[in-house]
Every structure is written in structure tokens, then in C-alpha cells.
Amino acid sequence: MKTFIFLPALLFLTITAFAQKTIELVNPSSVSTPHGYSQAAMIDLGNSRMVIISGQVALDAKGNLVGKDDLEKQTEQVFVNIKNIVEEVGGTMKDVIKLSYFTTDVSKIQSIRNVRDKFITVQSPPASTLVQVSKLFRDDILIEIEATAVIPKK
């Protein structure tokens, strides 16, 4: 019976040690400094690294809003932020495998896609999710996009 009590603790310690060695939280200088979270989590997968990117909004590297009341300009800044993060950790936009969109107006999906298509390979686009929300964390933010990339090690 003691073995069953010991195994969960051992498993927890093993997982914790593994996570500390394989997960790195990063805040690239090419995007605004976050408050209370990390911009990306990098997970070592052996031959590649998975990069989970926090939701990006239309803030430039200095934290200024780009494209007030303009969904296309905001979407472009969001993709610039995603691109900057992916490139700063050693990847390219071809490594992005998943995009999750949160926008206040899904009827403008074609405008979002038009901007997206400047940054991705349209012949094989990443998996994606689109969600309409009533509001994001600020009234002047019209879109937020999360991304996941898998970057091969060189």
C-alpha cells in the first residue's frame, strides 16, 4: 500500500523535473513586454520545439495600439507580432501549425483572411479556430490571435 502512495509523489517529481528541463518561457524583445504572463512557451520535443504563443493583439513593441478602429491594420500588427516571435525563437511562419482567432465581428472574416494570407502558405494553411467574442480586454482591441508553431531543430 505504501508503494501506491509513493508512486504519485514520484510521478509528480519526475514530471516536474522533466518540465523544468524541457519548457522555457520567453518574452522576445520584438513585441511588447507582457504584464503577468509570458509571450511564449517553448517545449523541447527532441527533434523539434513546440512554441505556444500567447494571444497577440495589435500592440507594437513599445505597447502602442496600431490601427485604432481598423480591423485590417490590427490584424496585420497581430501577424507581425506572431512572425517576430516565431523568428526570434528560430522559426519561420511556415512552422506555424495552429491559429486561434478571437474577434468582435466574425462577419469581417474575409478581411482577416486577406491579411493572414500575406503571412502564411495559403496552399497549406495552419489548422484554425475562429470565435466571436463580445469584448476583448480593451474596448479598442478588435482581434486577438493565439498561435502554435513546431520548429525543427537544426
Side-chain angles (χ1 to χ4, degrees):
M1 184 156 193
K2 289 181 182 178
T3 303
F4 291 110
I5 294 170
F6 176 70
L7 283 177
L10 180 61
L11 182 59
F12 173 77
L13 291 174
T14 303
I15 291 170
T16 302
F18 178 76
Q20 289 174 346
K21 292 180 184 177
T22 62
I23 298 172
E24 181 183 356
L25 301 173
V26 296
N27 291 301
S29 60
S30 58
V31 293
S32 65
T33 303
H35 302 286
Y37 64 96
S38 295
Q39 289 286 16
M42 295 192 311
I43 300 106
D44 188 337
L45 301 176
N47 292 331
S48 60
R49 287 178 293 139
M50 179 184 292
V51 182
I52 301 170
I53 299 172
S54 291
Q56 296 297 303
V57 296
L59 300 179
D60 64 17
K62 294 180 181 177
N64 299 312
L65 178 67
V66 174
K68 182 168 174 37
D69 300 322
D70 187 328
L71 179 61
E72 284 190 34
K73 285 184 182 176
Q74 286 197 20
T75 304
E76 184 165 356
Q77 181 62 46
V78 168
F79 273 102
V80 165
N81 292 347
I82 292 168
K83 182 178 185 281
N84 286 343
I85 293 169
V86 170
E87 289 178 353
E88 199 160 325
V89 298
T92 70
M93 289 299 285
K94 290 181 181 182
D95 298 318
V96 173
I97 61 165
K98 174 76 165 82
L99 295 166
S100 296
Y101 303 82
F102 305 90
T103 183
T104 56
D105 187 356
V106 295
S107 73
K108 297 183 180 177
I109 184 62
Q110 192 56 53
S111 295
I112 295 168
R113 286 180 178 153
N114 291 343
V115 174
R116 177 208 61 187
D117 290 353
K118 297 175 188 176
F119 291 88
I120 65 154
T121 304
V122 294
Q123 294 79 14
S124 56
S128 68
T129 299
L130 173 67
V131 179
Q132 180 168 310
V133 295
S134 60
K135 181 180 174 181
L136 290 160
F137 80 103
R138 281 177 27 184
D139 291 334
D140 56 355
I141 302 289
L142 305 175
I143 189 164
E144 181 169 342
I145 302 173
E146 298 175 337
T148 302
V150 176
I151 302 169
K153 289 183 180 176
K154 296 177 180 168

